[in-house]
Structure formats: structure tokens, C-alpha cells
Amino acid sequence: MATSKKYFHDHFVLLLLSINVFMALAGSLFIILPLVSGHGSNGYIVQCRDCSNVADANRFTAGNVTDMLGFVAFAAVVLVAHTMLSLRTYQIHRQLAVVILGLGALLLLLMIVVSNALLVLR
């Protein structure tokens, strides 16, 4: 119990937790708002694979709304998993917990970039 009390009193850890929560919520809103607005519910591009052959270049795979909501679930899983891992490793080493939270922020940033790129291609 003392470890979690120290964990939540560490200012840098709280800053990184706040950044992760903000990015998870912002990323989820960036995905959900275009889906709810109803601007074309015909299909969404969920994969973009570049091939080495020029004839097969930029092959897109279409999906539906549930495929795009997978990004929202991914953001929630990343937020919870990195928070729990960081909380458990804080008692071992503070810098390890900070690195885990930093990598979670990077992963959430990449999720926002990829999901936005796929929504723009629609």
C-alpha cells in the first residue's frame, strides 16, 4: 500500500499518467466523432498495405465501424496495461516505471496518427 501511495504522490509519474489519459480520451474522441457524425457509413479503410510490385501498390482493405472501434479498445487496453505495469514496477525502480509510462504515451500517439490516417483515406 505504501508503494501505491508513493506512486500517486510522484509528480512526474502523475504528469505521464495525465498525458496518457488525455491521449487515450482524445484518440477515442477523434475516432468516435467521425463515426457518429454519419458522413458516409458505407465503409472504412482499415488496412493500407504497400507492396513492392507497382501494380499491387497501395492496396486498401475495407472494413466497417466495429473495425474502427477496435482502435478505441486498443487505447483502453494500452492505458490500463501500462498503468498497471508501471504501478507494479515502481517498487522495483522508479525510472523503469517512468519508461513504461513514456512508451505507453508513444504507443497512444502512434495509434492516434494511424487511425487519423485511415479515417482521412475514407
Side-chain angles (χ1 to χ4, degrees), residues 73-96:
F74 177 73
V77 167
V78 166
L79 179 65
V80 170
H82 281 85
T83 302
M84 294 307 296
L85 281 173
S86 175
L87 180 63
R88 290 178 181 248
T89 58
Y90 188 80
Q91 64 186 352
I92 297 170
H93 208 273
R94 178 186 176 272
Q95 281 80 15
L96 181 60

Side-chain angles (χ1 to χ4, degrees), residues 16-112:
L16 286 173
L17 278 173
S18 300
I19 290 171
N20 284 348
V21 168
F22 173 76
M23 288 175 60
L25 290 176
S28 298
L29 286 176
F30 288 152
I31 294 168
I32 291 174
L33 288 178
L35 297 179
V36 173
S37 68
H39 290 104
S41 60
N42 51 359
Y44 299 94
I45 295 174
V46 293
Q47 290 182 7
C48 176
R49 300 197 177 210
D50 290 332
C51 300
S52 60
N53 190 0
V54 176
D56 293 335
N58 295 331
R59 192 177 330 173
F60 299 121
T61 304
N64 53 13
V65 175
T66 57
D67 293 329
M68 293 306 292
L69 290 178
F71 282 106
V72 176
F74 177 73
V77 167
V78 166
L79 179 65
V80 170
H82 281 85
T83 302
M84 294 307 296
L85 281 173
S86 175
L87 180 63
R88 290 178 181 248
T89 58
Y90 188 80
Q91 64 186 352
I92 297 170
H93 208 273
R94 178 186 176 272
Q95 281 80 15
L96 181 60
V98 168
V99 166
I100 289 172
L101 288 174
L103 290 175
L106 177 66
L107 196 55
L108 288 170
L109 179 68
L110 290 174
M111 185 270 312
I112 291 170

